[in-house]
Structure formats: structure tokens, C-alpha cells
């Protein structure tokens, strides 16, 4: 028996940290060992291709995962190791044979390996109390056995290995508290989850026989897209998306150049139930090996409906491979994929009916990009769709602008009304005067609309029709050209007196005669410097105690209810009727009365007097 050799540093504690704390998921031990085996074959193939004296070495093979009573073995017939390499590569923490091999290559552009940190091997000690490595280098005279219990020492012995011409076998003696990994079904699940797309075939060998887990070369995202393989893509989509209908859009992408990466992305035809709670995430592979099944920093969150995989040999990973470093490489991949997804959506948007399905499912989420992604704001703006007073169909900013030109409406201004999805915006009192004047108003129903409408898109600004300084007929090209002045509405003395009485009775900033009302008796509008009504509604929704700001009350001087109110001489009845009118303006814009209990009492008074004549 050879003499125990200490690791080339005081590494007992370090090895314990690597084995027990480096990875949050112990399943990855098998991923790491399979990845190392794949690297070994890659190194061997490179040598066979570049060295004339290695022409007779077999560089083809398979990876075997062997399950026995108390052991798991990962075997390959790849590059193997000499005695010296076993000592250096496995006896020095964080020394990677792949990294050292790359440094020795004259041309590093042609070969890349996963095992660049040299720590993956030690994940074996998360599940094993003893690890053996039997290795033999091609054309070497002897095979060697490396052994360690992970406590600070290792041994290397020369062994007889007839029929074992080159390669390595890593034998894990499984700890009793990790015996769940001695279950065949468990091992199969881990291999399929993490390593099923490795280029080499992987066999699971057990007492039941040999089962091929993958056929090698099955990574769809690394292959050219073909319409003839639609069924394969949909099958892969079902695995990634877990059954959210069929894909609305399939987006293959292969980028080559300074940064190389492949992606196969999908947009579902149905939204997930937790769409507004989740973050954008993709499956992240490095050279076909899964390193993160929920990588959250590849796509921006406003594209969180996109699912799929991205694979790159150029991604810099931290030593555990479970967290991406904040790097320029990652930023460029993210930027490239974002542009690709938006471009694919733009192309699909040419079909109005298909795009309406997407927009109804994911439009509210996509609009978040108008706020959070200035670089792609104009692109997202071109994808924007909304309903308007021009009809029931969804329209774009370009469509709105074209109709504005036809109607001699200001083509640089989008008039809009924002509200909640539950509101019937098309029946809002704020629209009446604009519809009468032939001006189109966009109807925005998502909470996010209150946050992006303060910016310009496609050379157009946005103005809410709930603001006091936005009135019907003011924004027409003809009026701007002629310099027409705003005309004050004609009012009777009784209505003028009514406005003064309402100012003193109600908690409002002002009471004015309206030009925007045609059928309704009254409405609330926002002052010039006050937040939009929908913005305040959102604030009130988040904080029910939010007091809000005082609003301007506009009344319709020709409405029968206003004319009748102007004639009421009973102060008690007038006060009750005024508060009922005020509450009605809140209800019409989807807000509860300021004081629901008081509203109920006052409505009862008005009904009683009205019914009693």
C-alpha cells in the first residue's frame, strides 16, 4: 500500500466547504461528473485530430453511469490521466485539467470545455464518503487508482486493468444518509433533467440491464430550424412549458461571432395563472449541460411570458455554476435575445387576428417595457395595441395617427382615457364631448398605462381627457391653424348661482360649467398640476386610507338633473342631492363614494322627497 499524500495545501476545511456548501442542490454531483466525462472525450478527439501518432486511438464512445449495491460509477473511455495528472488535477483544489489543457493549446478558439474551475469533481463528496478514480492515458503503459475519503489525504496506486486502454472511471461509495441516490429511477431523473442533451450517448447500467438515457446530439436548439420538425418543437415546448396550450410563436436563434450562443424560445398561446407574480426565466445550458433551470437575468421581466432554453459556451459562471456573474457577455446575450424576441413578435403582428390573441394574453406585461427598457421603447411602442372610440377592433399608434390626419385632429397628440379593466370606459362621461366633436380617444384599461403615458412615443404625446386643460375640439389642426380661441359655454344665471352653491357645499377645488358633457349631469376632472384620475385610483387601491386631492367638478348646464337642482330652495334637500350627484361622479369613473354610509343616507332622503312629490 502506498504512502498517503497530503493535498497540496491545508485544504481539509476547504474540501469540506466545497463538498458540503458549494452547491445548494446535491443532485448536481452527477451532472458535474458527466460533464467531466464529456470534456474528456472532447480533449481526446482534439488530440486524435491534431496528432499524427494518435491515429489509432478510438475517440468515439459513450458515457456509462453504473449503479451497484453501494456505489455509483461514472465511466468514460476518453482522455484519462497519468499518475502525475491524477496528483495535480485531483490533488489540488480548483485546478482544472480542462483549463490547463486549454492553456497549453496553441489555438484556443477551436476548443472549449465546461470544467474550467476544477471544483465539480469534489461535488462527489456531497454524497460519497470515499471516492476512487481509475484512470489510464492513451498509449500509457499503466493504469492508476486515485482514492480519498475527502478528509485531507489521497493515495495513488498502480493497478492492473486489462482491456482498459484509456479513459477514467469515477467510483462513488455512497454515504448511508444519501442512499436515495442508489435508486435507479432517481438517477434516471437526474440524468434526464441535467444531462439529457449531452452530445454523447449516456447509458444507465443496473441489475435490470442497460438503458440508453439519451441518443446523443438531441439538443434541438443547436440545430438549424426546419418546418418539417414542427412536432419535435412542440414536444420540446410541452416539456419546457408544462402544457400551456400550443406555442403561439416559436423563436429559434443561433448567434455566432465574438459571442456564440443558441436559443430556442416559445411564446405560449395561453398565459400562466401567475403571470403577474413571476419573473422572466429561461433554462440555461452551457455546452448542452443544464446549469440553471430558472435563470432569471437573461430576458427582461416584461418578457416573462417567453419560455425556452439558451446555451452558450462563452458564459462566465461562478465556481458553483448556479449563479451567473454580472458580465458584459451576459449583457450582450440578453440584449441580443431581447431584440430577437421583439423582432419576431413584430413580424407576427402583421396578422391582426393572431396578434390580437397575443395582445389580450400578454399586452399588459409587454407594456412594462415602455417604462423599464428605454433602448427598445420605440420598438415596443410600435407593438402597442388598444381599443378606442373609433371602433371595437384593436388599433396601433400608427392607425390612430392616420385617422387623426383624416379627421383633421392633431396627429401629434393621443387623447386617451385610462381606467380599470372592469370599467366600461366606452360609456364614461368624459368621452361624450370628444365623440360629439369627432375626436378619437384611446381607451387604456391596464394599471401600467398610468405610468408610461407621460412619455412620447412615435413622435406623439399623450393627454388624458380627464384633465381640466384637455377639452373637446381644442386639439384639431383646423383650430390650431386658424388660432381659434376657446369659447366659454353659455349659462343661465340660475346655473351660475348653482356653481357657487356647489363650491361651498362640496369638498371640491372648483365647480365649472362643462364643454365635455353631452348626456351625463356631471363629472370630475383633474387640475392642471394634479395626478390623473386613474393614477389616484391606483394609489387608493394600494392604500385605502389615501385621501387623494381635491378635484374640479364639471356640470352639464343643459341636463335636466342640473336644471332641477338649480331650482331647489330647501337647503337640506339641496345638500343631500348635491352629495348624491358628487357620489355619482365617483361611481361613473369606477371609484366608491367618498363616504359610502353618508351617501346611502343622502340617497334615501332624495328618493323619499322625490317619491312623495
Amino acid at each position: 500500500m502506498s504512502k498517503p499524500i497530503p493535498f497540496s495545501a491545508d485544504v481539509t476545511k476547504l474540501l469540506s466547504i466545497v463538498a458540503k456548501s458549494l452547491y445548494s442542490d446535491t443532485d448536481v454531483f452527477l451532472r458535474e461528473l458527466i460533464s467531466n466525462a464529456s470534456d474528456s472525450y472532447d480533449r481526446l478527439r482534439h488530440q486524435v485530430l491534431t496528432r499524427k501518432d494518435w491515429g489509432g486511438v478510438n475517440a468515439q464512445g459513450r458515457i456509462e453511469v453504473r449503479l451497484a449495491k453501494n456505489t455509483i460509477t461514472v465511466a468514460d473511455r476518453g482522455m484519462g490521466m497519468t499518475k502525475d495528472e491524477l496528483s495535480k488535477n485531483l490533488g489540488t483544489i480548483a485546478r482544472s485539467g480542462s483549463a490547463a489543457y486549454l492553456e497549453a493549446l496553441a489555438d484556443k478558439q477551436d476548443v472549449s470545455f465546461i470544467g474550467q474551475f476544477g471544483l465539480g469533481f469534489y461535488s462527489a463528496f456531497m454524497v460519497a464518503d470515499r471516492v476512487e478514480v481509475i484512470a489510464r492515458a492513451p498509449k500509457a503503459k499503466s493504469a492508476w487508482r486515485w482514492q480519498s475519503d475527502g478528509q485531507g489525504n489521497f493515495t495513488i496506486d498502480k493497478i492492473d486493468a486489462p482491456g482498459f486502454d484509456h479513459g477514467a472511471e469515477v467510483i462513488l461509495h455512497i454515504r448511508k444518509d444519501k442512499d436515495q441516490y442508489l435508486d435507479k429511477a432517481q438517477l434516471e431523473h437526474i440524468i434526464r433533467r441535467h444531462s439529457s442533451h449531452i452530445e454523447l450517448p449516456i447509458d444507465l447500467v443496473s441489475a435490470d440491464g442497460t438503458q440508453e438515457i439519451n441518443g446523443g446530439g438531441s439538443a434541438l436548439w443547436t440545430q438549424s430550424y426546419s418546418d418539417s420538425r414542427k412536432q419535435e418543437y412542440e414536444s420540446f415546448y410541452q416539456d419546457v412549458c408544462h402544457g400551456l396550450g400550443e406555442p403561439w410563436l416559436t423563436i429559434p436563434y443561433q448567434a455566432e461571432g465574438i459571442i456564440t450562443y443558441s436559443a430556442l424560445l416559445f411564446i405560449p398561446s395561453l398565459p400562466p395563472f401567475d403571470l403577474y407574480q413571476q419573473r422572466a426565466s429561461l433554462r440555461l445550458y452551457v455546452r448542452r449541460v443544464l446549469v440553471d433551470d430558472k435563470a432569471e437575468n437573461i430576458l427582461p421581466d416584461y418578457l416573462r411570458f417567453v419560455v425556452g432554453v439558451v446555451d452558450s459556451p462563452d458564459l462566465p459562471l461562478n465556481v458553483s455554476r448556479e449563479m451567473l456573474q454580472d458580465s458584459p457577455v451576459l449583457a450582450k446575450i440578453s440584449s441580443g435575445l431581447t431584440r430577437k424576441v421583439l423582432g419576431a413578435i413584430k413580424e407576427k403582428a402583421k396578422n391582426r387576428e393572431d396578434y390580437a390573441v397575443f395582445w389580450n394574453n400578454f399586452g399588459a406585461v409587454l407594456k412594462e417595457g415602455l417604462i423599464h427598457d428605454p433602448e427598445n421603447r420605440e420598438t415596443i411602442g410600435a407593438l402597442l395595441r388598444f381599443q378606442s372610440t373609433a371602433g371595437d377592433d384593436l388599433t396601433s399608434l400608427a392607425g390612430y395617427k392616420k385617422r387623426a390626419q383624416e379627421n383633421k385632429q392633431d396627429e401629434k397628440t393621443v387623447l386617451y382615457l385610462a381606467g380599470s379593466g372592469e370599467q366600461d370606459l366606452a360609456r364614461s362621461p368624459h368621452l361624450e364631448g370628444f365623440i360629439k366633436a369627432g375626436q378619437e380617444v384611446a381607451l387604456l384599461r391596464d394599471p401600467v398605462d398610468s405610468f408610461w403615458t407621460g412619455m412620447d412615443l412615435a413622435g406623439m404625446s399623450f393627454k388624458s381627457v380627464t384633465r381640466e386643460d384637455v377639452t373637446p375640439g381644442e386639439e384639431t389642426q383646423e383650430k390650431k391653424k386658424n388660432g381659434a380661441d376657446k369659447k366659454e359655454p353659455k349659462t343661465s344665471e340660475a346655473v351660475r348661482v348653482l356653481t357657487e352653491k356647489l363650491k361651498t357645499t362640496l369638498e371640491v377645488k372648483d365647480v365649472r360649467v362643462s364643454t365635455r358633457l353631452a348626456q351625463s349631469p356631471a363629472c370630475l376632472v383633474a387640475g392642471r398640476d394634479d395626478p390623473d384620475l386613474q393614477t389616484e385610483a391606483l394609489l387608493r387601491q394600494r392604500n385605502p386610507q389615501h385621501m387623494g386631492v381635491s378635484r374640479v367638478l364639471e356640470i352639464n348646464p343643459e341636463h335636466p338633473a342640473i336644471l332641477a337642482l338649480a331650482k331647489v330652495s330647501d337647503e337640506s334637500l339641496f345638500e343631500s342631492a348635491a352629495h348624491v350627484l358628487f357620489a355619482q361622479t365617483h361611481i361613473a369613473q369606477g371609484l366608491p363614494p367618498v363616504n359610502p354610509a353618508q351617501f346611502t343616507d343622502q340617497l334615501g332622503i332624495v328618493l323619499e322627497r322625490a317619491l312623495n312629490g
Side-chain angles (χ1 to χ4, degrees):
M1 188 70 176
S2 59
K3 180 181 178 182
I5 307 169
F7 285 96
S8 59
D10 183 11
V11 296
T12 303
K13 292 183 180 179
L14 177 58
L15 188 57
S16 177
I17 292 172
V18 170
K20 298 177 183 179
S21 304
L22 184 60
Y23 298 92
S24 59
D25 180 4
T26 54
D27 287 0
V28 301
F29 81 92
L30 195 53
R31 176 194 79 186
E32 298 291 343
L33 297 180
I34 290 174
S35 298
N36 288 345
S38 177
D39 283 350
S40 181
Y41 275 110
D42 287 341
R43 293 164 60 197
L44 179 63
R45 281 194 291 265
H46 186 266
Q47 289 284 49
V48 170
L49 289 172
T50 57
R51 293 183 58 169
K52 294 180 180 180
D53 58 331
W54 280 40
V57 177
N58 181 14
Q60 304 300 317
R62 313 170 72 85
I63 298 173
E64 287 188 353
V65 179
R66 303 171 189 159
L67 176 62
K69 183 178 180 180
N70 296 309
T71 64
I72 297 172
T73 300
V74 178
D76 67 75
R77 293 297 177 261
M79 190 70 174
M81 283 180 278
T82 64
K83 177 183 179 182
D84 185 53
E85 288 171 335
L86 281 171
S87 180
K88 290 180 178 179
N89 293 340
L90 303 187
T92 305
I93 304 299
R95 176 184 174 86
S96 169
S98 295
Y101 184 70
L102 275 175
E103 291 175 4
L105 290 175
D107 183 2
K108 300 180 183 180
Q109 300 299 320
D110 296 331
V111 182
S112 61
F113 304 112
I114 296 171
Q116 56 184 309
F117 291 98
L119 288 170
F121 168 77
Y122 301 100
S123 65
F125 288 104
M126 294 192 297
V127 299
D129 52 22
R130 183 163 63 91
V131 177
E132 297 179 59
V133 178
I134 298 174
R136 184 173 185 171
K139 297 185 176 292
K141 296 181 180 180
S142 303
W144 301 87
R145 176 190 286 119
W146 180 98
Q147 293 188 80
S148 177
D149 59 4
Q151 299 302 310
N153 296 300
F154 64 90
T155 61
I156 299 178
D157 298 294
K158 185 177 180 179
I159 62 170
D160 293 326
F164 185 53
D165 51 355
H166 57 84
E169 296 186 358
V170 182
I171 305 166
L172 281 65
H173 297 263
I174 304 301
R175 300 198 324 243
K176 291 182 179 180
D177 62 333
K178 298 295 181 180
D179 59 0
Q180 71 268 25
Y181 291 108
L182 296 172
D183 178 71
K184 178 186 174 184
Q186 176 78 348
L187 289 185
E188 180 181 351
H189 169 74
I190 295 172
I191 296 170
R192 290 191 185 280
R193 180 189 176 202
H194 288 285
S195 306
S196 61
H197 300 289
I198 285 282
E199 187 174 3
L200 289 164
I202 302 173
D203 293 334
L204 178 57
V205 183
S206 67
D208 299 330
T210 300
Q211 176 186 359
E212 185 178 85
I213 302 300
N214 74 328
S218 60
L220 274 176
W221 60 87
T222 64
Q223 303 167 28
S224 298
Y225 182 82
S226 172
D227 290 334
S228 63
R229 305 179 68 178
K230 182 179 179 182
Q231 189 172 356
E232 291 182 65
Y233 292 115
E234 292 189 357
S235 176
F236 183 72
Y237 163 80
Q238 292 296 332
D239 175 55
V240 173
C241 202
H242 306 298
L244 285 174
E246 295 183 355
W248 177 78
L249 181 61
T250 300
I251 309 172
Y253 188 46
Q254 293 189 8
E256 295 181 352
I258 298 176
I259 299 174
T260 300
Y261 59 96
S262 301
L264 183 56
L265 309 177
F266 304 93
I267 296 178
S269 56
L270 297 171
F273 71 92
D274 58 347
L275 176 63
Y276 294 97
Q277 284 75 48
Q278 67 182 22
R279 295 195 60 189
S281 66
L282 298 175
R283 289 186 181 181
L284 175 64
Y285 289 77
V286 173
R287 300 185 73 246
R288 304 187 182 199
V289 176
L290 180 67
V291 295
D292 192 346
D293 56 4
K294 287 187 177 181
E296 294 183 342
N297 44 358
I298 298 177
L299 286 178
D301 282 343
Y302 70 85
L303 294 178
R304 56 182 170 272
F305 49 81
V306 178
V307 297
V309 304
V310 61
D311 187 343
S312 174
D314 297 328
L315 280 172
L317 306 175
N318 73 355
V319 289
S320 72
R321 305 182 190 173
E322 293 182 85
M323 294 180 64
L324 291 171
Q325 295 175 354
D326 184 11
S327 72
V329 173
L330 179 62
K332 289 182 179 179
I333 291 177
S334 175
S335 179
L337 286 180
T338 299
R339 288 195 302 271
K340 179 65 177 179
V341 170
L342 293 176
I345 295 174
K346 182 179 180 180
E347 183 65 24
K348 187 80 167 178
K350 293 178 180 178
N351 185 314
R352 291 172 60 93
E353 292 184 3
D354 274 356
Y355 191 63
V357 173
F358 164 82
W359 187 260
N360 290 330
N361 287 334
F362 305 114
V365 175
L366 183 64
K367 283 188 285 189
E368 294 176 11
L370 295 171
I371 304 166
H372 300 299
D373 190 356
E375 181 180 347
N376 292 297
R377 182 173 294 155
E378 289 299 324
T379 302
I380 300 170
L383 298 173
L384 182 65
R385 298 293 184 271
F386 49 86
Q387 289 183 312
S388 77
T389 54
D392 295 332
D393 293 338
L394 292 173
T395 186
S396 63
L397 287 176
Y400 183 99
K401 185 173 185 177
K402 181 180 179 181
R403 288 186 296 275
Q405 292 171 336
E406 294 171 351
N407 297 332
K408 296 183 179 180
Q409 187 175 333
D410 182 12
E411 64 182 61
K412 295 184 178 181
T413 301
V414 178
L415 299 174
Y416 75 92
L417 175 65
S420 66
E422 295 76 21
Q423 285 180 260
D424 187 358
L425 292 181
R427 299 185 63 183
S428 170
H430 296 94
L431 297 177
E432 295 171 357
F434 294 94
I435 293 175
K436 187 176 180 180
Q439 293 175 278
E440 182 176 354
V441 179
L443 306 178
L444 307 179
R445 292 182 166 86
D446 298 312
V448 68
D449 295 324
S450 292
F451 299 97
W452 62 262
T453 44
M455 60 186 66
D456 291 352
L457 287 175
M460 307 173 77
S461 60
F462 293 77
K463 291 187 177 182
S464 172
V465 296
T466 66
R467 306 194 70 85
E468 66 170 337
D469 54 339
V470 181
T471 55
E474 285 191 335
E475 300 300 327
T476 63
Q477 292 177 349
E478 186 176 356
K479 285 199 172 188
K480 282 192 171 185
K481 181 179 178 181
N482 297 331
D485 295 328
K486 177 179 176 182
K487 294 183 179 180
E488 294 296 333
K490 295 180 180 180
T491 59
S492 65
E493 180 63 19
V495 171
R496 189 191 65 78
V497 172
L498 174 63
T499 60
E500 296 301 322
K501 290 182 65 176
L502 289 173
K503 288 180 186 179
T504 58
T505 303
L506 303 174
E507 295 181 2
V508 293
K509 178 179 291 186
D510 197 4
V511 179
R512 299 172 188 167
V513 174
S514 179
T515 61
R516 78 183 73 234
L517 297 171
Q519 290 86 36
S520 301
C523 70
L524 289 178
V525 297
R528 290 176 181 270
D529 301 321
D530 295 332
D532 179 73
L533 299 187
Q534 173 64 2
T535 302
E536 184 171 337
L538 291 175
L539 294 174
R540 192 187 299 270
Q541 190 177 42
R542 293 189 177 186
N543 179 17
Q545 306 303 317
H546 176 70
M547 298 302 294
V549 298
S550 182
R551 297 299 187 183
V552 175
L553 177 68
E554 289 193 358
I555 60 174
N556 182 351
E558 299 178 358
H559 196 279
I562 296 299
L563 295 174
L565 185 59
K567 297 177 182 179
V568 174
S569 57
D570 185 314
E571 293 300 325
S572 176
L573 176 60
F574 177 86
E575 182 175 348
S576 295
H579 280 96
V580 169
L581 178 71
F582 189 51
Q584 181 186 2
T585 62
H586 285 74
I587 296 171
Q589 66 186 52
L591 295 174
V594 176
N595 189 329
Q598 184 185 51
F599 165 66
T600 302
D601 293 340
Q602 291 167 335
L603 180 61
I605 293 172
V606 173
L607 283 174
E608 179 185 356
R609 295 290 295 271
L611 293 173
N612 289 332

